[in-house]
């Protein structure tokens, strides 16, 4: 291989590397597909799941609580970095004895720490969920 061929190979490899770096760097932090999930157990054994997913510059957030008992009313709150972004009530429904809350949140600058709490007055059960969504 002569020196002009080696130089051409080196230049080509460098150009390819720069092109790949530019392509990867061009993807926004809120690109579709970025998703975080967490799950756990509430204070009296019910199950919770919390999901946060990138959606066109916003964060699609969904909380699901499954008690296996229909008719339980829960007070629910969602916070993003400590700021209350939604509160309301949900009642578990048949056949699964679960409820869900889905909200589209503003993607704040930096990392978003999304917390959800759900409490039912009938039994005192409390569910506390957290996900960290990289910004």
């Amino acid at each position: 291989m002569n020196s002009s061929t080696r130089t051409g190979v080196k230049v080509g490899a460098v150009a390819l590397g720069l092109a790949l770096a530019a392509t990867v760097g061009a993807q926004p932090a809120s690109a579709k597909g970025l998703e975080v999930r967490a799950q756990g157990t509430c204070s009296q054994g019910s199950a919770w799941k919390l999901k946060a997913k990138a959606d066109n510059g916003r964060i699609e957030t969904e909380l699901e609580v499954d008690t296996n008992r229909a008719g339980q009313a829960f007070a629910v709150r969602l916070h993003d970095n400590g700021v209350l972004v939604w509160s309301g009530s949900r009642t578990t429904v048949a056949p699964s004895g679960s409820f869900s809350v889905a909200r589209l949140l503003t993607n704040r600058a930096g990392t978003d720490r999304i917390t959800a709490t759900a409490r039912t007055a009938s039994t005192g059960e409390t569910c506390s969920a957290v996900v960290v969504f990289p910004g």
Side-chain angles (χ1 to χ4, degrees):
M1 187 181 287
N2 64 35
S3 66
S4 65
T5 305
R6 278 183 290 197
T7 304
V9 171
K10 284 183 183 177
V11 170
V14 170
L16 177 60
L18 290 174
L20 289 174
T23 301
V24 172
Q27 294 178 354
S30 62
K32 279 199 172 271
L34 178 60
E35 182 175 305
V36 291
R37 295 173 178 248
Q39 62 186 27
T41 305
C42 303
S43 64
Q44 295 179 15
S46 297
W48 61 261
K49 294 178 185 176
L50 182 59
K51 173 178 72 171
K53 180 179 177 181
D55 186 359
N56 293 323
R58 300 184 71 183
I59 305 171
E60 179 184 328
T61 305
E62 182 179 7
L63 169 69
E64 181 182 333
V65 174
D66 188 352
T67 68
N68 289 321
R69 284 187 49 207
Q72 291 185 310
F74 280 80
V76 183
R77 302 182 87 164
L78 293 175
H79 289 85
D80 183 359
N81 292 337
V83 176
L84 179 66
V85 292
W86 185 83
S87 68
S89 62
R90 291 291 186 266
T91 301
T92 57
V93 295
S96 65
S98 66
F99 71 85
S100 64
V101 173
R103 290 290 175 263
L104 199 55
L105 307 179
T106 300
N107 189 351
R108 300 168 188 270
T111 300
D112 290 81
R113 184 175 195 272
I114 300 165
T115 61
T117 56
R119 185 177 188 282
T120 179
S122 64
T123 67
E125 182 167 34
T126 301
C127 307
S128 299
V130 177
V131 293
V132 176
F133 188 83

